[in-house]
Every structure is written in C-alpha cells, then in structure tokens.
Amino acid sequence: MSALSVVLLTGGKGTRMGGVSKAELTLNGYTFRNRILLALISVPQIIVVGPTFTAENPKISFTREQPIGGGPVAAISAAIPLVGHEFVGILSVDAPFAVSPLLEMYRVMEQDSIDEALVATDGNHESYLVSVYRRDALIRALSQLGKAENASMKSLLSHIEYGSVQFPRHQLIDVNTPEDLKRAEKEST
C-alpha cells in the first residue's frame, strides 16, 4: 500500500436519508466512517473531504470542497493538492463494504494495469466513487474538465482511459435510502 492515498468523501447532504450524515450511519456498532477508516489502516495516507472529527490516526488529514456541497468532483479537486502518492483511491463513505474492492483495484493498478484508472462495477453499473486513479491522470483530467463544482464523475472520467473490475454486488452497496441501509444491515450479518 506504499504508493496509495485514499480520498474518503464524507460531505454529502444525505437528502434521501432525511438529512442524516451518512458518515454517522451505523453498521454492527461502527459508524460507516469508522468502519471504513479501520479497514484502511494499512493505507499510508487518507484524506477526508468533509466535516472534521477527532482522528487519532496521524495519516488522516482533512479538507473541504469549495463551495461546500459542490459534489464529488469538487471534493476530489480539493483533495488532489494533498495527495502524496502515485495512486489515488476514491471512496464514498456510503459504500461501507467497498474497501476490499478498492484495495484490490490498487493492487491491479500497481502490478500490471496499463489503465489510467479502474472503476468498480457489479456487472450492471459502474461505481464511480469506488475507483483508483494514477495521480497524474487525475490531475490532467481535472484540468481538462475545467470547472469541478457540480460536475459529474462521468464527465471527469471522459478525460481518462479507464477500465472496470467486477465485484460482487453486495461489496458495492451504496447506501442512499433507508431501504439501502436495511439491505446493508442484512448483508453484514
């Protein structure tokens, strides 16, 4: 994991969850945020884009997108100046089972991938917020995109040569609604 920085996106509004911060949702006694941070213990750098909290891990740093609420591309743009490694993992806090796929894609990229990025897929849809990039390709794509505020991940990826890696659907559960949370709870037992 020596060449990986992970950008953890925690600043979403949680609108479909009634305004509840998805970072604070719990699963098996751990908040989504803490569950993910524990699973990332071997990663040398973690950049949290969202509200700050007390972090005992010195590898964790914080930033915020501008404007706050500007979306995931704006969040990635805010984090990129802090990235200190060749590879950048992007992970949304509402994907509580996705650390394993993220780390697997990093291993593929580090060992033999010619792609500039890899995106997780369940075979039906790509999970753009479970992805790994070469830092230089991500910087170039952000520059080519221009305005990051409210830009879609798909528009960012249009500037990158990327591949996808398929994972079981349960590993890519994206918790956006109370029904998604129930499904995640069921998967975690």
Side-chain angles (χ1 to χ4, degrees):
M1 302 297 144
S2 62
L4 178 66
S5 297
V6 172
V7 175
L8 180 61
L9 307 175
T10 67
K13 297 175 187 167
T15 304
R16 290 180 279 173
M17 290 296 294
V20 174
S21 165
K22 291 189 264 184
E24 300 302 321
L25 293 174
T26 59
L27 197 58
N28 295 333
Y30 292 94
T31 64
F32 280 19
R33 181 187 61 222
N34 288 346
R35 176 186 178 88
I36 290 169
L37 291 174
L38 285 169
L40 291 172
I41 195 74
S42 64
V43 172
Q45 182 185 29
I46 302 165
I47 303 162
V48 176
V49 184
T52 59
F53 55 90
T54 303
E56 296 177 16
N57 185 339
K59 299 184 289 186
I60 298 173
S61 60
F62 298 90
T63 192
R64 289 301 303 253
E65 75 275 17
Q66 294 301 322
I68 292 174
V73 176
I76 293 165
S77 182
I80 202 70
L82 303 176
V83 169
H85 297 90
E86 178 184 358
F87 298 97
V88 183
I90 304 297
L91 185 59
S92 177
V93 76
D94 62 4
F97 304 115
V99 170
S100 180
L102 182 86
L103 297 179
E104 179 61 28
M105 288 187 298
Y106 162 69
R107 284 188 279 279
V108 169
M109 293 268 308
E110 185 181 47
Q111 292 173 6
D112 56 32
S113 176
I114 60 169
D115 294 305
E116 294 179 320
L118 290 175
V119 174
T121 180
D122 64 7
N124 292 321
H125 79 281
E126 293 177 324
S127 296
Y128 299 133
L129 298 181
V130 182
S131 51
V132 177
Y133 298 79
R134 294 184 190 282
R135 182 185 64 195
D136 293 343
L138 186 55
I139 291 169
R140 185 190 74 242
L142 285 164
S143 175
Q144 290 173 342
L145 181 63
K147 186 177 176 188
E149 180 186 348
N150 296 319
S152 71
M153 287 300 294
K154 196 168 191 170
S155 67
L156 178 66
L157 282 163
S158 73
H159 298 283
I160 293 180
E161 297 281 333
Y162 76 96
S164 59
V165 180
Q166 188 166 342
F167 294 97
R169 184 176 178 175
H170 74 274
Q171 288 186 309
L172 302 178
I173 290 174
D174 183 10
V175 178
N176 289 310
T177 66
E179 293 75 26
D180 294 337
L181 180 58
K182 287 178 186 171
R183 198 174 61 175
E185 290 168 341
K186 184 178 177 183
E187 286 293 338
S188 71
T189 56

